[in-house]
Amino acid sequence: FVATGGDCGHMYIWHKRSGHLVRKVRADADTVNSVLPHPHLPHVASAGIDSSVKIWESTAGEFSVYDRSAKAEVSGEGAHGKMV
């Protein structure tokens, strides 16, 4: 699979061989700037303009936020963040 983000706030999951869109998920209120799949687990991280990083888990072909209570807020002051 290939994961991408869009200016519309969605994360897209594509089938690598066929190029077909597998899933479209609302991942940000504005723009999804970054999408990073885990190398071994069915997890994907997404980040956007809303200053949050969301960890998604895929189960049975559906994507959901892995743990809503542990959303990492990214500060504008370097690599440090805080848990909310």
Side-chain angles (χ1 to χ4, degrees):
F1 295 97
V2 175
T4 63
D7 289 342
C8 60
H10 287 91
M11 175 176 64
Y12 299 91
I13 308 296
W14 305 87
H15 190 271
K16 187 166 67 171
R17 289 193 181 125
S18 71
H20 290 125
L21 179 63
V22 176
R23 194 69 64 215
K24 176 181 169 184
V25 180
R26 185 71 168 172
D28 190 84
D30 191 21
T31 300
V32 177
N33 293 331
S34 183
V35 176
L36 181 65
H38 189 281
H40 307 291
L41 299 175
H43 298 162
V44 177
S46 68
I49 292 181
D50 71 1
S51 299
S52 67
V53 175
K54 296 172 186 77
I55 307 298
W56 301 85
E57 180 179 37
S58 175
T59 54
E62 296 297 323
F63 282 86
S64 58
V65 174
Y66 181 67
D67 183 0
R68 295 178 199 273
S69 65
K71 185 170 68 171
E73 293 293 330
V74 179
S75 74
E77 301 174 6
H80 302 290
K82 62 178 181 176
M83 298 302 287
V84 287

